[in-house]
Structure formats: structure tokens, C-alpha cells
Amino acid sequence: KVIWTLLITILGYASSLPVGDDSICTAEELAKYSIIFTGKWSQTAFPKQYPLYRPPAQWSSMLGVTHSSDYNMWKKNEYASNGVRDFAEKGEAWVLMKEIEEAGEKIQSVHGIFSAPAISSGTGQTSTELEVHSRHPLVSFVVRIVPSPDWFVGIDSLNLCEGDHWMEEVSVDLFPYDAGTDSGFTFSSPNFATIPQDTVTEITCSSPSHPANSFYYPKLKILPPIAQVTMVKLKKNQLGLPAPYLNLQAKSNEIIDSVSETPLDCEVSQWSSWGLCRGACRKTGTKIRTRFVLLQPANNGMPCPNLDEETGCEPENCV
């Protein structure tokens, strides 16, 4: 009876553990990875309002951390910290670094911090190395989308440990997130704080459901990945070597252009009021109304319709 009670207690405890809990990692104590971030933010894949200047499309530096399940850098559907807000809005990392350091000191949840250089265009690669520990096997990072109100890409608590071994390689497609601290709809929106603050949400082709949204593509089912991250476990004889920097921008562009050609339909304004009726007295005259292009089509999207329209009318004020 005592054994049976003990078994039930142990099983109950085991069932209460979260799936993928890092406490069950029995792999060797330390592992080192090369982490390669690839920007896929091209004008072909994301033609709407694509930033070409002031500033052009680009990526901030990467800021990441290896940690245990006691810590979260950011989390979907939860409020962003002050540090994540500053990073997502302005690319400033000091407050976020302080938050990470404080979490490491208070609850010993952080093993290490890593960073990688910024990318000066929407497509390209940057890389660095990171170290995970059997008690700290989770990886989180953020990279700011530049320009944007408070948009970023990243990973929240990816576990690189699988039971008794470390994963050899893992690749993850990345999609844009809104930090919930700024209410802008477009890449170049002016700073307009969200009050009260909203939670971190994923930006999709239909959400926010507003035509002004720079990622609003209602004809798509899902957005193409705007970036990708790959982590490759380094062998012991590779430790201490610089992380491979794969400058494959031209090749990446070819792949993006052939796979992710997002069609963009022309958008036009409402018609203006009808103009004055022109013509000779006692004869049928003509009047015209016009409209203008709000968004030029791209990638075989629906072309623009006629921008002016004419109709018959009776000239007024005839003697």
C-alpha cells in the first residue's frame, strides 16, 4: 500500500511538469553553437510600403540569452518589459541588458548573453556563437525591424536539449511581432505610444486588419518568413574558432525572388467631385471626375483602373 501511494505521488508530480522542462536535460554539461540569422525582407516578398530610404529596410543587432525556464526575455500574448520596449522601438539595449543581468543574479536563471552585428539591408546574414548549459538549455533573442514603430523578430525559449543529447542543428522561420508599446501601422509611422500598453502579438497578413498596415496582404493565407535563424552545434575541435559568416546575399535574393513573389494589387483613392460642365449652350457638354493612385501594383498584382471618368451634362448659366 505504501509503495502504491508513493507511485501515485511520483506520477502526479511528473504529470505536473511542463512539457519540455529544462530540468530533465541530461546531456553533457556544456555545448556551443553557431547561430546564423538570415534576413529575408526583400521588396519582392514584401512589396507594400517597402522602405527604400530614410532609412532603408535593415535589421538591428541581435541580442540574445541562454537561460533556464525561470526566465523569459519576451513572450507572445504577455506584456513586453521596459527593456524589450526600448529595444523594439529604438534599438537601445541598455535596459534589456540590465534586466537580463538582474535575472541572472537573483534567480541564477541566465547562463550567458550573446550578440551579433546589425545587417544594413533587408536581406543578408549575421552570425555569432552561444553557449548553453544542461541547466540553462533555452535560447531567446530579439532583432528589431528597422524602420518600424515597435516591430521585431525573435525566438522565445527554444530548447536545444533533447533528453540526453544536444540537437545537432535547428532552423526556425521567423515572422514579425508587435511589442504592443507603439500604435503605428506603417514602417515609417511617427512615435505614438499605445496607452494602455498592449501585449506582444504576432503580425500576420490579416492582423491588424487595417489596409494601412504595412504587412496587410489580404489575398495571402500566411506571410512569407521575413527572416530565418539556424543554430549548428560546434564540435569540440571547433570551439574557440570564429563563427562562420555566410555572406550569401546574392544567392539569398535569387531564392527569395523565385519562391516568395507576393502580388500586390493597385489601390486608388475615392472619386473626386464632378468638375464643371463644359460645352456650348443648348448642346450636350461633358464633365470629368478623377482619382489618384494610393499604392502601385507589384509582382503581377491587379493593375490600376482608369484614373479619370467623363460623362455627359447640360451646360449651366447659358443666356
Side-chain angles (χ1 to χ4, degrees), residues 291-306:
R291 55 188 174 184
F292 57 90
V293 175
L294 295 171
L295 192 65
Q296 292 288 351
N299 303 328
N300 297 315
M302 189 177 296
C304 294
N306 291 333

Side-chain angles (χ1 to χ4, degrees), residues 274 277-278 284-289 309-314:
W274 287 104
C277 186
R278 299 181 182 277
T284 301
T286 58
K287 58 182 178 180
I288 297 173
R289 64 177 181 175
E309 189 174 67
E310 186 178 290
T311 189
C313 59
E314 293 290 333

Side-chain angles (χ1 to χ4, degrees), residues 43-237:
Q43 191 172 8
T44 305
F46 299 91
K48 186 174 182 181
Q49 302 165 0
Y50 188 80
L52 295 172
Y53 54 89
R54 297 183 184 178
Q58 57 191 276
W59 299 96
S60 77
S61 58
M62 173 193 290
L63 181 60
V65 61
T66 55
H67 58 96
S68 67
S69 59
D70 297 321
Y71 171 79
N72 285 100
M73 175 182 269
W74 64 277
K75 201 170 188 64
K76 183 179 178 180
N77 298 327
E78 292 190 6
Y79 294 105
S81 68
N82 290 335
V84 171
R85 178 199 63 205
D86 285 357
F87 191 86
E89 288 189 14
K90 298 174 283 188
E92 296 177 359
W94 298 112
V95 177
L96 183 53
M97 288 278 289
K98 188 175 180 181
E99 290 173 354
I100 295 169
E101 289 169 1
E102 287 177 352
E105 291 172 1
K106 287 180 180 177
I107 54 179
Q108 302 296 306
S109 59
V110 173
H111 178 72
I113 300 173
F114 59 90
S115 64
I119 303 174
S120 60
S121 62
T123 59
Q125 291 185 321
T126 187
S127 65
T128 188
E129 290 183 0
L130 61 88
E131 185 179 75
V132 283
H133 186 274
S134 57
R135 294 194 302 276
H136 305 87
L138 307 180
V139 176
S140 298
F141 71 82
V142 287
V143 180
R144 181 177 180 243
I145 299 173
V146 183
S148 75
D150 60 341
W151 302 341
F152 69 95
V153 297
I155 278 181
D156 166 38
S157 304
L158 175 66
N159 194 343
L160 293 179
C161 183
E162 292 185 316
D164 61 352
H165 67 278
W166 295 103
M167 298 172 70
E168 290 297 323
E169 181 174 340
V170 58
S171 290
V172 181
D173 287 334
L174 303 177
F175 300 89
Y177 280 90
D178 186 323
T181 61
D182 193 291
S183 297
F185 272 122
T186 67
F187 297 120
S188 57
S189 292
N191 184 32
F192 186 69
T194 301
I195 302 174
Q197 181 177 335
D198 204 350
T199 57
V200 175
T201 55
E202 184 175 351
I203 300 171
T204 71
C205 56
S206 57
S207 178
S209 183
H210 194 292
N213 175 16
S214 291
F215 287 111
Y216 186 69
Y217 296 97
K219 288 191 174 182
L220 295 182
K221 290 184 178 179
I222 58 170
L223 285 175
I226 196 170
Q228 185 183 62
V229 66
T230 300
M231 282 166 272
V232 181
K233 185 174 179 290
L234 298 176
K235 295 179 172 54
K236 288 186 178 180
N237 60 2

